[in-house]
């Protein structure tokens, strides 16, 4: 099998034998076997094979050879000269290079192996995975044994080195638990973290299970995660036709199909793939952290056993841990897993108080929530969490899954409440917030409606209301948190999509918000939401617009121009209009309510406004004139609605056309929409005949249209009319 072409054909046959989405550890092992056979024969045909040891390293050493992974190979020698090493290289390396195989062989003496291991943690771990293929076994033992002895001198110190390397990888490659395009190999929670458990076992000289550092359920989870990540990474290789470690957005449809994921009503096949990846990534991250913590504790005094009798005891223990700026100890995590927590939890004051203590603890509180989350216990306290857990977000702004976005927003909110000085506007507004727990809850729940069933805002508002009502909160806290969820897009969407010079718009926003506390809460949530989304969500331009809107709304609320009573009246009236128009398209009703000036809804009764909707709502042509006339509230009077693009002298044109038609104006109300449409409302009566029939209305409309078009002179016609009727 010394022919490198035959090795390539063997690899190609393996690809045909295994479907792309099913190339897991078995297929990887077969590739490693094929490489083993080639290297054994190649070294056997070379000169002086007994003077060297040929060793498979890294993933190849673990028999985890993926379709286009590098071949990690080491030639150990004991002082061969350059000429002899070059001759071996011609036999071992060049045939593979000539066939396009990507690998960089290492050539070292035993002492150089130890030096490399001491210098770089990745060199150390690659050697720990080493597996001798051919040559002198004792030479490999002389290289490997000192490395093993060195890591076994102080396993916790070795674990700490792995932890430092993990944090470097987190900064460079991100996380398989949250990133929407995860690096399956180097990302935290991925294949390298899984391999680290094997390295820790080597450092301990035995099984992690036998040492009590790994639970059987955790071991099963790690096994499932490794198979999934190997299959997914192999599918990426086969799709690209080359090595690739990152499951990028553009590759996800093909990988999802290859791995057998199907679309579901609330979760697409792509999102199902990514949700599975995130679940495994979190599982691996949690297990590695737990094993590392147990190892550190194993080396020191052991913790006393913990027993938690109920759900309240669980959150109280986590709250105390978070308030002490500490992570949950292994025995506490084990106790939580064994604790009798109902599904769902029936909240009581003990649970409520402890849960709120966790939320107030900032980043340490997030760690406490993460303990509940990774043990799948958080959803027992917050049932809706199950639907957002590990759910991807498909837009160009969000970096994290829905649940990670929510906890990131909560952490930022807690930081702002503790120290708002980094944001001057937050510092100015924060004194208005009396119910700080509500603000934290609003941050935690603001996107809870992103469950794949439609507009997340109304869905989230309903979910949040149910959750808040179950938590034994006081009414003011629950109401403010619910308001934040239902209106969390109000400030950023209005600021970036509407004309902030429009006073009616500012009055409308002030009416919807109503109080300084609500305004402050929404602003803090806008900041926290953006920080948890990504850099593009809080640009200087976006920040400036939100600041401008908040300042104007605050001014309205502060001077009392939109006090609570007037705001409540306006909110009630617009809500009544929406209810009366429930059968109309929701988007059309929203547009109607938002584009009409506030004074219109404050002076026009909801039933009349709902009737006007049919005339005002449809898109208006550049020269179009619409009218609608109905009987008035008084005998022999009529209500006349005129809708047309606003223009100079429009009111006089309407008055002239009415006069020519023998119709007298009793009163007028003039409004202009935010897109410059005139909405003029008149109370009129017949000047000479009380009854105004359809013929006279038709004549009025014709006269008005011709006047607006400029085809007639109303002044001349009015003078003629006066001459005939002294």
């Amino acid at each position: 099998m010394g022919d490198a072409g035959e090795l390539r054909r063997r690899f190609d046959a393996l690809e045909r034998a295994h479907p792309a989405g099913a190339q897991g550890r078995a297929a990887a092992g077969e590739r490693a076997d094929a490489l083993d056979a080639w290297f054994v024969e190649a070294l056997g045909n070379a000169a002086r094979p007994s003077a060297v040891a040929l060793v498979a390293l890294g993933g190849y050493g673990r028999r985890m050879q993926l379709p286009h992974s590098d071949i990690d190979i080491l030639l150990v020698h004991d002082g061969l000269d350059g000429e002899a090493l070059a001759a071996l290289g011609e036999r071992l390396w060049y045939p593979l290079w000539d066939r396009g195989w990507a690998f960089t062989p290492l050539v070292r003496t035993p002492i150089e192996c130890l030096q490399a291991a001491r210098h770089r943690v990745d060199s150390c771990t690659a050697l720990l995975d080493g597996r001798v293929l051919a040559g002198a076994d004792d030479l490999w033992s002389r290289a490997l044994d000192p490395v093993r002895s060195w890591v076994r001198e102080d396993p916790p110190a070795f674990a700490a080195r792995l932890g430092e390397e993990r944090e470097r990888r987190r900064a460079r490659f991100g996380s398989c638990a949250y990133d929407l395009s995860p690096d399956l190999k180097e990302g935290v929670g991925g294949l390298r973290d899984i391999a680290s458990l094997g390295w820790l076992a080597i450092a301990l000289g035995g099984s992690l299970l036998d040492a009590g550092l790994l639970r059987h359920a955790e071991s099963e989870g790690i096994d499932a995660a490794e198979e999934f990540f190997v299959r997914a990474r192999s599918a990426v290789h086969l799709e690209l036709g080359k090595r690739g470690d990152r499951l990028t957005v553009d590759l996800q449809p093909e990988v999802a199909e290859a791995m057998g994921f199907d679309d579901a009503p609330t979760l697409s096949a792509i999102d199902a793939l990514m949700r599975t990846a995130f679940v495994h990534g979190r599982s691996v991250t949690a297990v590695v952290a737990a094993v590392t913590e147990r190892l550190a504790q194993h080396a020191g005094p052991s913790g006393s056993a913990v027993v938690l009798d109920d759900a309240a005891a669980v959150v109280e223990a986590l709250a105390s841990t978070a308030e002490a700026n500490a992570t949950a100890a292994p025995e506490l995590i084990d106790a939580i897993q064994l604790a009798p927590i109902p599904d769902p939890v029936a909240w009581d004051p003990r649970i409520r108080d402890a849960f709120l203590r966790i939320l107030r603890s900032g980043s340490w509180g997030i760690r406490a929530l993460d303990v509940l989350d990774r043990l799948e216990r958080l959803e027992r306290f917050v049932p809706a969490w199950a639907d957002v857990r590990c759910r991807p977000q498909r837009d160009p702004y969000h970096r994290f899954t829905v649940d990670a976005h929510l906890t990131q927003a909560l952490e930022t909110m807690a930081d702002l409440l503790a120290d708002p000085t980094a944001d001057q506007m937050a510092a100015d507004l924060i004194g208005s917030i009396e119910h700080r727990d509500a603000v934290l809850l609003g941050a935690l729940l603001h996107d809870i409606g992103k469950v794949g069933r439609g507009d997340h805002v109304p869905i989230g508002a309903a979910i949040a209301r149910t959750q808040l009502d179950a938590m034994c909160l006081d009414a003011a806290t629950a109401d403010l948190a619910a308001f934040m969820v239902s209106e969390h897009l109000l400030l950023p969407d209005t600021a970036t999509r509407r004309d902030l010079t429009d006073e009616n718009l500012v009055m409308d926003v002030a009416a919807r918000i109503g109080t300084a506390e609500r305004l402050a809460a929404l602003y803090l949530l806008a900041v926290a939401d953006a920080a948890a989304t990504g850099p593009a969500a809080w640009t200087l331009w976006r920040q400036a617009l939100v600041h401008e809107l908040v300042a104007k709304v605050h001014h309205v609320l502060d001077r009392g121009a939109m006090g609570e009573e007037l705001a409540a009246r306006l909110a009630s009236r617009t809500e009544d209009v929406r209810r009366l128009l429930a059968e109309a398209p929701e988007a059309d009703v929203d547009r109607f309510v938002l584009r009409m000036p506030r004074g219109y809804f404050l002076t026009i009764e909801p039933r009349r406004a709902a009737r006007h909707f049919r005339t005002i709502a449809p898109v208006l042509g550049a020269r179009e004139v619409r009218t609608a006339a109905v009987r008035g509230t008084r005998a022999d009077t009529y209500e006349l609605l005129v809708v047309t693009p606003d223009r100079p002298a429009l009111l006089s044109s309407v008055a002239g056309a009415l006069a020519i038609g023998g119709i007298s104006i009793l009163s007028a109300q003039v409004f202009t929409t935010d897109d410059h449409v005139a909405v003029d409302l008149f109370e009129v009566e017949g000047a000479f005949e009380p009854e105004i029939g359809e013929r006279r209305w038709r004549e009025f409309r014709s006269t008005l249209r011709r006047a607006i078009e400029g085809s007639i002179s109303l002044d001349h016609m009015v003078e003629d009319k006066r001459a005939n009727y002294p």
Side-chain angles (χ1 to χ4, degrees):
M1 190 158 175
D3 180 9
E6 177 60 28
L7 179 62
R8 173 60 69 189
R9 286 188 288 275
R10 177 79 181 275
F11 266 49
D12 291 343
L14 286 172
E15 289 188 19
R16 293 191 298 271
H18 298 277
Q23 299 240 349
R25 289 172 295 188
E30 290 182 47
R31 286 190 203 89
D33 292 344
L35 282 171
D36 289 357
W38 190 90
F39 279 119
V40 167
E41 184 174 343
L43 185 61
N45 293 332
R48 303 176 67 181
S50 61
V52 297
L54 197 59
V55 181
L57 299 179
Y60 176 28
R62 297 192 304 275
R63 300 186 68 254
M64 204 75 73
Q65 191 64 33
L66 273 60
H68 296 286
S69 289
D70 291 348
I71 302 169
D72 300 321
I73 197 80
L74 167 68
L75 183 71
V76 183
H77 69 97
D78 194 9
L80 287 182
D81 59 29
E83 185 177 342
L85 291 173
L88 275 172
E90 289 185 10
R91 290 273 189 176
L92 298 174
W93 323 137
Y94 283 93
L96 296 178
W97 282 331
D98 290 344
R99 287 285 181 172
W101 296 85
F103 74 107
T104 303
L106 299 174
V107 180
R108 289 174 179 159
T109 64
I111 189 63
E112 288 171 341
C113 288
L114 179 59
Q115 290 170 344
R118 288 178 176 273
H119 181 63
R120 289 178 59 100
V121 68
D122 56 347
S123 297
C124 178
T125 56
L127 288 165
L128 293 178
D129 286 327
R131 179 170 55 86
V132 67
L133 303 175
D137 288 352
D138 64 320
L139 189 57
W140 169 234
S141 296
R142 287 167 51 200
L144 177 62
D145 290 350
V147 176
R148 283 182 171 172
S149 297
W150 177 61
V151 299
R152 286 173 178 168
E153 288 176 4
D154 191 348
F158 176 61
R161 290 185 70 198
L162 292 179
E164 293 169 358
E165 188 260 353
R166 185 178 304 114
E167 291 309 308
R168 287 193 291 269
R169 284 191 287 111
R170 187 191 302 277
R172 183 176 177 185
F173 299 104
S175 169
C176 290
Y178 304 111
D179 291 352
L180 299 181
S181 293
D183 188 303
L184 303 175
K185 179 187 177 185
E186 300 289 350
V188 170
L191 287 167
R192 190 163 179 83
D193 273 1
I194 293 173
S196 72
L197 296 174
W199 304 328
L200 288 175
I202 292 172
L204 290 167
S207 163
L208 295 178
L209 280 168
D210 293 342
L213 302 180
L214 186 66
R215 309 293 185 253
H216 283 284
E218 293 171 341
S219 178
E220 292 170 359
I222 290 294
D223 185 69
E226 184 175 56
E227 179 65 18
F228 173 84
F229 284 134
V230 170
R231 288 176 58 203
R233 187 171 169 231
S234 296
V236 169
H237 283 204
L238 295 173
E239 183 65 30
L240 292 174
K242 61 181 181 179
R243 173 181 167 171
D245 300 327
R246 197 171 283 280
L247 183 51
T248 55
V249 172
D250 58 310
L251 292 173
Q252 289 168 15
E254 290 75 14
V255 173
E257 182 179 3
M259 294 184 69
F261 287 92
D262 296 319
D263 287 335
T266 61
L267 199 68
S268 68
I270 302 169
D271 285 353
L273 164 73
M274 298 312 299
R275 180 178 236 181
T276 304
F278 298 143
V279 168
H280 284 310
R282 292 189 192 185
S283 173
V284 171
T285 302
V287 171
V288 170
V291 169
T292 303
E293 182 70 21
R294 289 169 191 150
L295 177 59
Q297 203 171 70
H298 187 70
S302 59
S304 56
V306 176
V307 177
L308 301 171
D309 295 327
D310 54 23
V314 168
V315 284
E316 285 171 344
L318 286 171
S320 296
T321 299
E323 289 170 340
N325 294 351
T327 56
E331 60 271 13
L332 175 56
I333 294 174
D334 293 342
I336 292 171
Q337 202 153 21
L338 296 173
I341 304 176
D343 187 11
V345 165
W347 286 71
D348 60 30
R350 278 182 65 201
I351 295 174
R352 175 202 62 206
D353 293 345
F355 194 83
L356 292 175
R357 286 167 57 201
I358 291 173
L359 301 193
R360 297 173 198 138
S361 299
S363 60
W364 296 102
I366 302 306
R367 290 177 172 87
L369 291 179
D370 185 60
V371 171
L372 288 176
D373 184 36
R374 71 191 193 219
L375 297 176
E376 298 185 15
R377 299 297 190 271
L378 182 54
E379 59 207 56
R380 299 189 183 187
F381 293 87
V382 185
W385 200 260
D387 283 335
V388 299
R389 187 173 191 263
C390 296
R391 181 179 285 273
Q393 302 195 72
R394 299 289 171 187
D395 63 56
Y397 300 107
H398 283 89
R399 299 173 297 173
F400 303 120
T401 56
V402 177
D403 57 335
H405 169 75
L406 292 176
T407 55
Q408 291 280 330
L410 170 62
E411 182 175 352
T412 301
M413 182 67 81
D415 291 343
L416 283 170
L417 290 174
D419 181 12
T421 55
D423 187 303
Q424 186 57 53
M425 179 158 278
D428 292 340
L429 294 174
I430 204 165
S432 301
I433 297 178
E434 297 179 23
H435 303 89
R436 295 194 167 207
D437 290 337
V439 176
L440 294 168
L441 287 164
L444 179 65
L445 298 174
H446 75 277
D447 272 350
I448 200 72
K450 288 187 173 179
V451 293
R453 293 198 298 266
D455 186 349
H456 78 281
V457 177
I459 292 172
I463 293 172
R465 187 78 256 184
T466 300
Q467 177 65 44
L468 293 163
D469 288 345
M471 294 176 71
C472 302
L473 300 162
D474 64 87
T477 296
D479 289 346
L480 178 55
F483 172 81
M484 290 173 66
V485 176
S486 63
E487 298 288 0
H488 71 273
L489 296 179
L490 176 60
L491 293 180
D493 279 5
T494 303
T496 55
R497 299 177 184 179
R498 305 293 298 279
D499 179 8
L500 299 186
T501 64
D502 184 348
E503 292 186 6
N504 286 322
L505 172 68
V506 176
M507 294 285 282
D508 180 36
V509 174
R512 287 176 68 174
I513 294 174
T515 70
E517 181 179 33
R518 285 182 166 189
L519 176 63
L522 286 187
Y523 175 72
L524 292 181
L525 182 54
V527 175
D529 190 6
T533 298
W538 200 242
T539 61
L540 290 176
W541 169 80
R542 190 179 183 91
Q543 183 182 25
L545 291 176
V546 172
H547 281 185
E548 180 183 351
L549 175 61
V550 171
K552 289 182 174 181
V553 171
H554 186 267
H555 179 65
V556 170
L557 295 173
D558 188 50
R559 76 186 184 195
M562 181 59 69
E564 290 188 36
E565 183 178 346
L566 190 58
R569 179 183 172 201
L570 178 57
S572 174
R573 287 202 162 203
T574 54
E575 186 60 33
D576 286 344
V577 172
R578 290 179 185 276
R579 179 175 50 79
L580 291 166
L581 296 173
E583 295 184 3
E586 185 177 357
D588 292 347
V589 177
D590 284 342
R591 183 170 178 270
F592 172 65
V593 170
L594 291 174
R595 63 194 281 255
M596 294 301 293
R598 302 309 95 204
Y600 173 84
F601 291 112
L602 288 170
T603 56
I604 304 301
E605 293 178 357
R607 289 191 179 278
R608 292 173 66 200
R611 187 173 68 241
H612 296 164
F613 168 80
R614 293 188 295 272
T615 306
I616 299 171
V619 176
L620 197 68
R623 291 181 173 272
E624 186 178 357
V625 179
R626 293 187 194 139
T627 65
V630 297
R631 289 284 183 179
T633 57
R634 296 186 293 166
D636 298 329
T637 64
Y638 295 83
E639 177 190 273
L640 171 65
L641 174 66
V642 178
V643 179
T644 188
D646 197 15
R647 55 179 54 81
L650 174 62
L651 190 59
S652 63
S653 296
V654 175
L658 287 170
I660 291 167
I663 301 171
S664 300
I665 298 174
L666 300 176
S667 66
Q669 292 173 289
V670 179
F671 307 101
T672 305
T673 68
D674 65 356
D675 54 348
H676 309 296
V677 171
V679 177
D680 296 345
L681 194 61
F682 302 90
E683 184 183 22
V684 299
E685 65 179 0
F688 311 107
E689 301 173 15
E691 183 74 22
I692 304 177
E694 178 56 32
R695 179 185 61 80
R696 291 173 69 186
W697 288 124
R698 216 172 25 246
E699 290 174 352
F700 159 70
R701 287 193 293 268
S702 175
T703 301
L704 180 58
R705 287 193 183 94
R706 291 162 62 199
I708 288 174
E709 291 169 357
S711 61
I712 60 172
S713 169
L714 285 179
D715 290 344
H716 178 70
M717 295 178 70
V718 170
E719 287 301 319
D720 286 347
K721 198 79 170 178
R722 285 175 177 166
N724 292 326
Y725 297 95

